[in-house]
Each structure stands twice: as structure tokens, then as C-alpha cells.
Amino acid sequence: MKRARKREETFEKFNPLENKTILLGISGGIAAYKACDLASMLRRSGADVHAVLTKNAKEFITPLSLQTITRNPSHCEQYGANGEWRPEHIDLAKRADLIIIAPATADMLAKLATGICDELLTTMVLASKAKVMIAPAMNPTMMEHPSVVHNLEILQNRYRYEVIPPEFGEVACGDWGSGKMASVETIVAAIASRLVSHGAMSGKHIMVTAGGTREPIDPVRFIGNRSSGKMGIAMADAAFARGADVTLVSTVEVDRAYPVILVETAFEMQEAVEGEFDSCDALVMTAAVADFRPLSVSTNKIKKTESEDINLELTKNPDILDLLGRVKKKHQVIIGFAAESEELLSNASQKLKRKNLDVIVGNDITVPDIGFGSDDNAVVILSEDGTRENLTRMPKRAIAEHLCDLLASKFAAMEKTPAR
Ligand code: C5P
């Protein structure tokens, strides 16, 4: 019982969208199924979320699912059962701080661009003065059609709606191209950057590393690890949403509005990180860097031999964090990560001191279902001033927001006591 209450308290700390009313408009494309995750993440970020579904959206997803997740009635019809006009919808449109339409189909974009109000959702958009954001999702060929391109231009340039661009990848029908709805994390990041003002991070240069390095054995094989890069990408998104100048050094390819330096090996990561470090106010080293690499890399694919065994000789990689901890300036903050399978607290606190870090984020990799590859994690955060915080299971984006709060408080403290 006591444990459950503690978990709730820790989780409730992450509510950057508290007191914000968000209309979540959903139009009828297959990406509508992601609207449940989006509604959930917005609600868990503290927002009061109201879902508005078009007639076609209801073919893909039920109003009941959204009602259950948002804890508010879902809205679909312009008129009540007896044909009466329902002005409460207009009240809701007026109260909204932001309208996000995700997914926005080609049909929805056309209606918004021309002001057609034959659905509750488009009527509410016109009846509201709130900021409107749209996350298009459709087949890549449709996305490239001149009418869609033209409508997007009108929405962006004339109406100043914010378009969250679709991602490149395979869409539901099997085609490849740009048309996949932006990830839920990207959409929430874009919304947070609109609604939340974060003075302390604005203009700070924050470098984040993400993913696991791959150390080649031969042209086809490598030594790798299970890191998905999700924590680092969440951290970079969160810092960017708060107005920081972000550089992401990543082994995982992502399409973002901030610079992403793609690397593969520990050496490449070291080169990229060292190249930018002097201009950084903070380095957040979430990447899982291989401690060892093969001593020699075969230029040809190693062939199967008669012998049952093969020996691979390994040599130590540079410890990027350790090297930068030694040259860090007073105004710079370094956050390291420690994935541990035993003695989490003592190992993490030793690393904090040994690598001269400001903060270390430790997680126990033996806990099932969280950490590597998962959207969630549970961590302990140790600071060089001796403070310790336990964050029980929560989305990686929530952990990233927490780390941004910590960075912001460190920057604010530095400004009060400038280094001589
Ligand atoms: O010592 P350990 O590898 O557990 O430390 C983990 C932290 O050090 C992570 O923040 C990781 O990004 C960083 N690291 C590094 N270079 C290495 C190994 C780890 O910067 N070669």
C-alpha cells in the first residue's frame, strides 16, 4: 500500500501540461489507432484532453476507448439525438489552449484549408482561437499530390497552423516514403514546446548521445548491444522542446528538426562528441558505448572453418565520458548513465565520482520489461551534491523531462554563482 502511494507521488511530479485544455481531433486514417497512445501521454503529462472524432475516425477507433483514456466524454456529432444544436461544443472550442489534429488525413487538410464545416471537428477548429497543430498521415503518393502540398502550404503560411511533419518509412499499405504520422513522442514534444515556457534551457547547447555502438568484426558482423536509443532520443526531444540548441549524436537514424550526427562505432562517437564538446553547456551521455572492440577488423567476411572454435581478440575502447569529465569547464554539466545488473547504487555512485560527473542516472537491467528497448524505465538519479531521487516506472520521455528540470535548476544555480 505504502509502495503504491510512493509510485503515484513520483509519477505525478511529471505534469508539464497541467491546467492546459487540449482538443485532440482525430480523422479517419489507419494512424487513428495511435490516437489512444497520444491521448494517454497527453493526459499523463497533466493535460485535460477532449477527443473529437470524425465520422470516418470512428471506423478505426471507438469513442469509448478515447473516453476511457482521456476521462472525458468523446465528441463526434454536431447535433444531439433529436437534431438539436449543441452549443457546449463551441464552449469547449473556446476554452481549448491548443487543438491537435492527429492523424490529419488528406480530406481533413482539404476541409481545413477551405473552411468546410460539415463535421464537428472542423466546426470546432473554426470556432476556436487556440493554436492549431496538425500531424498529417497518409499514403506517400497522396502526400506528394499537388493538392495536398497546396493545402499544407495554405494551412502553414496563411493560417499559421503548425504542421508536425510525417516520418519516412513503411506505411500501413506496404508502400515506402514520407507519410507515416510523426511518433507520439514527437507530437507531445511539439505540443509541450508550444504550451510550456522554459526560460532556463532556452539558448543552451545540449549534446545528447543515443543508441548502442557497433564494433565491426568483419564487413558483415559486429559486436553490439541491446540499446534502442529511445532514452537519448526522448532526452534530445525534451531539451529541444524547451528551447535548447540540441545536437544528437546517435547510432540510430532519426529525422528531427535539430542536428543529428549519425555514428556507428565508439571511435566515431568519440570524434563527434569531442568535436562539439567545447561549445556545449551540457552533455547527456545516454549511449551504450561498447567497452571493447575487436583488436583487428577483417577486411573480408570471415569464413566458416573446419574448427569448432574461433578466437576473437578484444581491446579496450576509449571511455568518452571519463575523458571529457577530466576537461569539463565549470559552466558545463555532464550527465552519465549506468546500466547495472548488480550493486546499482554503489556502482553508480562510484562512476559519478570516478568520471567527475554532475549527475548519474542508474538503472537495474535485471528488472523485466523495462530499460533496453522498452518505452519505460525506472531509474535512480544521483547528483554530485549528494542528492538522490528514485523515479519508479514511467515513460522514458517523463524521465527526460525530469532530467531537463534538473539541468534547468543546475543552469539557474550557475547563473546565481558565476564561475570566477
Ligand atoms: O562505465 P560504464 O560503461 O558503465 O559507464 C556508463 C556511462 O559511460 C554511460 O553514460 C556511457 O555513455 C559512458 N561511456 C562512455 N564511453 C565508454 C563507455 C561508457 O562514454 N567507452
Side-chain angles (χ1 to χ4, degrees), residues 209 266 285-291 317-322 335-340 351 354-355:
T209 64
M285 195 79 198
T286 64
V289 187
D291 291 323
N317 265 334
D319 190 318
I320 307 167
L321 206 50
D322 193 288
I335 301 183
F337 277 66
E340 304 290 341
K351 276 177 201 172
R354 192 173 69 240
K355 299 194 187 194

Side-chain angles (χ1 to χ4, degrees), residues 41 75 82 109 147 154 179 247 278 285 292 402 407:
M41 198 177 260
H75 307 274
N82 302 320
L109 298 181
S147 75
I154 293 177
T247 303
D278 279 353
M285 195 79 198
F292 296 95
H402 199 88
L407 271 180

Side-chain angles (χ1 to χ4, degrees), residues 111-130:
K111 283 180 179 164
L112 290 171
T114 49
I116 292 175
C117 292
D118 65 344
E119 285 265 7
L120 177 62
L121 176 55
T122 45
T123 309
M124 288 174 97
V125 171
L126 260 62
S128 174
K129 290 203 167 129

